[in-house]
Amino acid sequence: MNHRYWRFFLIMMLFAKVGFVAASSELIPVKLQLKWLHQFQFAGYYASVEKGFYKDVGLDVTLIAANAELDPVSEVMSGNADFGVGTSELLLRRAQGEKVVVLGVIFQYSPLVLIAKRDKVFKTLYDIMQQPIAIESGSSEIVAYLKSRGIEVHQVEIEGHDFYIEKLIKGEIAAQTAYTTTEPYLMDQLGIEYQLFSPRSVGIDFYGDNLFTTEAMIANRPQRVRAFKAASLKGWEYAMTHPEEIIELIKKKYSPHSSVEALRYEAQEMAHLMKVDVIHPGYMNEGRWQSIVNVYTEAKMLPNDFELDPFLYSDTESPIDLTPYYIAIGLFFVVLLVALGTLIYIFRIKKQLMHSRHNYQNMLELAPLPFIVLGKDKGICEWNQAAQQLFGWQKDEILGCRITRLFDDEPVHDNIEKALKSALERKSFISQVNNNTTQSGETIQCLWHIGPRYNLYNQVDGVICIVKDMTESAKLERALKQSKEDAEQTLADHQQFLSMASHEFRTPLAIISQNVQLILLHMKNNQPIPQKVLDRINRAITRTTEFMDKVYIADRFNSDAWQLNASEIVLSQLFESVLEEHHSLFPARTIVFQNPDNFEKCMTVYWDGDLIQVALNNLLSNAIKYSPDDLDITLSVSRTDEGIKIVVRDQGDGIDAKLQNKLFGKYVRSNKVSGTTGTGMGLYIVNHIVTLHHGTISLLNHPEGGLEVSVLLPFRV
């Protein structure tokens, strides 16, 4: 007989023994402090009172309803009550020095949520910031939920909870804590649209309505604690299998103002939260409690060294002495009772196990996220449809394989092995992001939640892995980051352009204005207009025209409409045209043209002639601008196996090596050109033209001084 059957046998013996003793002694008065007003939420305790389960174990139990000013934990700690019903905030109270101990869990999933009216103002959780909200006592899981969403307590206006929803309906508060078993029904009946914000939506999955007492009560009255817990859980078993009977009882004796429909709605919702079809009332799991501790710790609401064991009730003593029972009832009756109870219990457990297994398989297969279950040998033993869709392997192809098959490099293998070992040994969940390999060889990025799997005896027998594909999210995040950087660069370029354009227009306009005044003065005095005045105006106009040409060309490079207009070009004619144009613009400057290959007059290339001439004009203009007036500029052209090599060398100060690559950016100028006008777009335009022709460009400080710009263009584009 395994330990579950033995426990059932001992509980039956306890009721038999205590019932026998109670027949000849007075009932012991006990007080249970509830955490809310009378409703189906406490149905199990009503059933234990009315069906005599408490009296069977010698207890006379009084149920005390709560009010807005009353704190159930304080009532139990002060001795005003012997037992209480509390939330998972009991962990925080324990950490604060109040020696509370949880005896059992009623709700496997907490019904605690935030409820708000649905309107145009209140759309998301973040809309509660700087708004008044009502939070009831013991609602720290809501605080942890807000923290996990980046909302601190000081960012909302917290008010006391009066147990009703009138303030929410009137708009005096933006939201309030509520139970999914109660307030949604009330809002539906009033025809008010509402929205719920649940901690479970972000993975904060707490227990709800925990039966608790104090360390002192357990130490001083261990038999009373065992008897109270057993009778209470028996009442819960009865209440959840006879809901209509208990609803009638509550309506008649405990809460006459409640409607039968509201109580029935509450009972139905509670059945889902208690999982009564697969889990006995009172069941709790140490690993689940540890997960709750981890959530509070991450929210900095619990210390890292919080000790969980003393918080959980453990009945290590033998619950009864069987000798008096055998004397009072007789050996034959005991054997008969045990045999009958055992058979019923085994039959019921088998039925529940079959149902649970079926539910488990359905839940696993239909889960929207990939679920992968590993055995203790770390081989895959469960693989649902979502995992098959994500990774590509069929179940019969992957079962029995090592989980490392899904990861593409050795360092990740080590991390996964460590995570699996931690899940098995520490019995805790771990989350990490890894790169995974699908059956088709594609690499995807996934978020893995890895934790222990427990068997019927609460022993770890494997590992559960829940996987979420983060590939598209990661791509979107990178795209958003790049978009932000591009926008910031565009703004910087815009600001730089405005500053530079202001200077480039203001200076020529000032020159033109001054010389126009001189022209007017000479005309007034009937004097001839000096040629140098006209030359200054001409240079100013040329400077402005060159600037606008560069802006136009640079703007076209930034659009998608730019296309090369390549054609056959006679190379000698191209360079003659460029040299002739610069001689006319700068007659006093000498450009030394070197043609070591002396290629034929008729040699042709297939380029966009207009763009290449723009590029050469920019290179020669820069060389003239940054060279002393008395020194020559060198333009050399040679033929290589790869194409035509063009080199322009000036006689200036050269550039810093650190700036060589940056000078091809828009509006970037050398730090050695102070006092020399320029737009910072010349090399930017040249680089674009060379790139469009599939050529290369490089900058080099010549050993004898000056900057040498080398361009290599293929013969044909």
Side-chain angles (χ1 to χ4, degrees):
M1 183 183 297
N2 64 37
H3 73 281
R4 291 176 69 105
Y5 305 152
W6 179 245
R7 184 175 63 183
F8 176 81
F9 165 73
L10 293 180
I11 291 174
M12 293 183 64
M13 298 303 102
L14 173 65
F15 277 108
K17 176 184 175 181
V18 177
F20 176 78
V21 174
S24 59
S25 61
E26 294 184 359
L27 298 177
I28 301 173
V30 170
K31 294 180 180 179
L32 171 61
Q33 177 63 60
L34 308 179
K35 65 182 293 290
W36 200 257
L37 305 175
H38 286 301
Q39 53 188 20
F40 199 89
Q41 180 180 351
F42 310 110
Y45 308 117
Y46 304 143
S48 294
V49 171
E50 299 303 320
K51 305 307 292 185
F53 300 151
Y54 286 133
K55 288 184 179 179
D56 290 344
V57 294
L59 301 178
D60 180 15
V61 176
T62 301
L63 305 179
I64 306 172
N67 57 59
E69 289 76 28
L70 184 144
D71 175 28
V73 178
S74 297
E75 291 298 296
V76 175
M77 291 304 301
S78 65
N80 292 334
D82 303 290
F83 301 90
V85 179
T87 65
S88 295
E89 186 176 304
L90 291 167
L91 287 164
L92 307 186
R93 303 295 285 266
R94 176 83 191 193
Q96 294 167 7
E98 297 179 276
K99 303 297 184 181
V100 292
V101 178
V102 171
L103 303 177
V105 170
I106 304 305
F107 292 164
Q108 295 298 314
Y109 302 105
S110 173
L112 191 60
V113 294
L114 275 175
I115 188 171
K117 291 198 295 184
R118 187 182 297 279
D119 54 36
K120 296 180 180 179
V121 177
F122 201 108
K123 296 181 179 179
T124 71
L125 179 64
Y126 298 97
D127 293 328
I128 71 170
M129 296 175 68
Q130 310 305 327
Q131 297 290 328
I133 63 173
I135 296 183
E136 64 196 74
S137 173
S139 299
S140 291
E141 66 185 272
I142 293 296
V143 176
Y145 170 46
L146 296 177
K147 283 178 173 284
S148 73
R149 299 292 87 191
I151 302 174
E152 297 296 334
V153 176
H154 64 80
Q155 293 178 298
V156 296
E157 300 175 16
I158 296 180
E159 297 185 1
H161 202 301
D162 61 3
F163 287 23
Y164 299 100
I165 60 173
E166 279 71 15
K167 288 185 177 181
L168 179 63
I169 295 172
K170 295 177 180 178
E172 297 176 9
I173 55 176
Q176 69 177 60
T177 52
Y179 263 28
T180 56
T181 57
T182 307
E183 280 78 3
Y185 176 83
L186 299 177
M187 298 291 274
D188 286 337
Q189 293 303 301
L190 294 173
I192 300 175
E193 292 188 2
Y194 60 89
Q195 50 191 332
L196 302 178
F197 300 96
S198 172
R200 290 172 64 189
S201 66
V202 295
I204 298 179
D205 189 9
F206 284 12
Y207 284 133
D209 278 24
N210 309 291
L211 184 61
F212 72 95
T213 187
T214 63
E215 278 190 0
M217 174 62 76
I218 295 172
N220 299 329
R221 301 285 188 272
Q223 290 281 19
R224 187 179 304 176
V225 173
R226 283 192 289 271
F228 179 80
K229 176 185 176 182
S232 297
L233 298 184
K234 185 177 181 181
W236 274 109
E237 291 271 8
Y238 187 89
M240 297 311 293
T241 53
H242 302 80
E244 292 299 325
E245 178 184 342
I246 302 304
I247 288 172
E248 183 179 350
L249 170 65
I250 296 172
K251 177 73 175 175
K252 179 179 179 181
K253 186 172 180 179
Y254 291 96
S255 183
H257 63 279
S258 298
S259 70
V260 172
E261 290 76 13
L263 293 172
R264 187 175 290 126
Y265 176 88
E266 187 178 6
Q268 292 170 351
E269 291 299 313
M270 282 175 56
H272 298 308
L273 295 172
M274 293 175 66
K275 293 293 179 185
V276 293
D277 54 340
V278 293
I279 299 176
H280 287 292
Y283 172 78
M284 59 184 181
N285 180 275
E286 182 181 353
R288 180 91 175 276
W289 275 112
Q290 184 61 54
S291 297
I292 298 172
V293 170
N294 293 342
V295 172
Y296 277 136
T297 301
E298 290 175 6
K300 301 188 184 306
M301 300 171 71
L302 269 182
N304 291 330
D305 59 351
F306 178 79
E307 189 176 357
L308 181 61
D309 286 345
F311 175 74
L312 304 177
Y313 177 66
S314 177
D315 185 9
T316 56
E317 300 179 14
S318 177
I320 59 170
D321 178 7
L322 298 180
T323 304
Y325 175 79
Y326 289 123
I327 296 174
I329 307 300
L331 182 60
F332 176 78
F333 181 74
V334 171
V335 173
L336 181 61
L337 185 62
V338 171
L340 180 61
T342 301
L343 289 174
I344 295 173
Y345 188 74
I346 290 174
F347 175 77
R348 183 177 179 184
I349 289 298
K350 283 186 176 181
K351 184 178 179 181
Q352 289 181 348
L353 286 177
M354 291 177 62
H355 185 61
S356 299
R357 181 66 181 175
H358 180 70
N359 286 343
Y360 169 76
Q361 289 294 341
N362 284 341
M363 206 163 42
L364 188 70
E365 284 300 320
L366 299 178
L369 291 177
F371 270 71
I372 304 171
V373 181
L374 313 179
K376 277 196 170 184
D377 60 353
K378 301 173 187 174
I380 299 174
C381 58
E382 294 282 358
W383 179 268
N384 72 347
Q385 293 179 12
Q388 175 181 319
Q389 293 172 0
L390 178 61
F391 295 106
W393 282 282
Q394 299 291 330
K395 182 180 292 188
D396 56 357
E397 296 175 324
I398 200 71
L399 291 184
C401 296
R402 301 280 291 181
I403 191 67
T404 49
R405 185 172 182 178
L406 305 179
F407 299 90
D408 56 1
D409 53 48
E410 290 299 327
V412 176
H413 290 186
D414 295 337
N415 290 337
I416 286 296
E417 291 290 348
K418 291 177 182 178
L420 297 178
K421 182 178 180 182
S422 179
L424 288 169
E425 294 179 355
R426 299 182 185 177
K427 302 179 181 179
S428 60
F429 269 85
I430 296 173
S431 299
Q432 60 184 36
V433 177
N434 296 302
N435 287 333
N436 296 103
T437 303
T438 66
Q439 187 185 37
S440 62
E442 179 187 2
T443 298
I444 59 176
Q445 191 175 71
C446 297
L447 173 62
W448 286 71
H449 299 285
I450 302 172
R453 184 181 76 164
Y454 294 87
N455 60 20
L456 293 174
Y457 308 110
N458 201 28
Q459 298 170 334
V460 176
D461 67 350
V463 176
I464 295 178
C465 303
I466 305 173
V467 187
K468 183 178 181 181
D469 186 2
M470 302 293 290
T471 307
E472 293 303 321
S473 299
K475 289 182 181 178
L476 178 59
E477 183 177 352
R478 289 194 295 270
L480 290 174
K481 182 179 179 181
Q482 185 61 48
S483 297
K484 179 184 176 184
E485 292 175 354
D486 292 346
E488 291 173 347
Q489 184 59 48
T490 300
L491 178 60
D493 289 349
H494 178 68
Q495 293 172 340
Q496 177 70 15
F497 173 77
L498 291 178
S499 174
M500 178 266 299
S502 174
H503 177 268
E504 286 298 316
F505 280 118
R506 187 185 300 113
T507 301
L509 289 176
I511 293 173
I512 293 171
S513 176
Q514 292 172 0
N515 286 277
V516 166
Q517 295 299 322
L518 289 175
I519 291 173
L520 293 175
L521 181 62
H522 281 76
M523 293 176 64
K524 182 178 180 181
N525 297 327
N526 293 321
Q527 297 175 344
I529 300 172
Q531 183 61 39
K532 64 180 180 180
V533 172
L534 297 176
D535 289 343
R536 284 197 293 265
I537 293 176
N538 185 55
R539 285 195 299 271
I541 293 173
T542 300
R543 176 177 171 179
T544 304
T545 303
E546 288 178 351
F547 171 72
M548 294 305 299
D549 288 343
K550 289 180 179 180
V551 170
Y552 171 73
I553 292 174
D555 182 65
R556 289 197 65 189
F557 282 138
N558 288 334
S559 72
D560 295 331
W562 187 275
Q563 291 183 349
L564 282 179
N565 185 19
S567 62
E568 294 285 349
I569 298 172
V570 178
L571 202 59
S572 59
Q573 293 177 2
L574 171 66
F575 286 102
E576 287 174 3
S577 175
V578 171
L579 292 172
E580 181 180 347
E581 180 177 344
H582 276 76
H583 180 69
S584 65
L585 291 174
F586 305 99
R589 303 304 297 271
T590 300
I591 300 176
V592 178
F593 181 59
Q594 297 177 349
N595 179 13
D597 295 326
N598 192 23
F599 34 73
E600 303 84 355
K601 289 280 187 180
C602 60
M603 179 179 178
T604 60
V605 290
Y606 196 75
W607 295 342
D608 187 321
D610 293 336
L611 286 183
I612 296 299
Q613 189 156 351
V614 168
L616 292 173
N617 286 338
N618 273 284
L619 293 177
L620 291 173
S621 296
N622 280 349
I624 292 172
K625 185 185 303 181
Y626 300 127
S627 297
D629 293 340
D630 57 343
L631 297 180
D632 297 340
I633 308 302
T634 302
L635 169 62
S636 66
V637 183
S638 60
R639 177 172 182 168
T640 70
D641 292 339
E642 292 81 16
I644 302 297
K645 183 178 181 180
I646 304 170
V647 180
V648 177
R649 179 190 168 195
D650 63 33
Q651 300 293 334
D653 296 329
I655 59 173
D656 287 341
K658 296 180 180 178
L659 287 176
Q660 285 191 6
N661 292 330
K662 295 183 180 179
L663 285 178
F664 294 118
K666 191 187 291 186
Y667 312 132
V668 179
R669 302 186 68 207
S670 172
N671 55 4
K672 296 183 178 182
V673 296
S674 178
T676 303
T677 61
T679 63
M681 291 192 294
L683 286 177
Y684 170 76
I685 292 173
V686 173
N687 183 50
H688 266 283
I689 293 174
V690 171
T691 301
L692 285 171
H693 283 75
H694 306 294
T696 60
I697 182 171
S698 62
L699 307 178
L700 177 67
N701 287 324
H702 197 278
E704 297 178 5
L707 177 67
E708 188 174 86
V709 183
S710 297
V711 175
L712 179 62
L713 297 172
F715 296 109
R716 300 181 66 85
V717 179

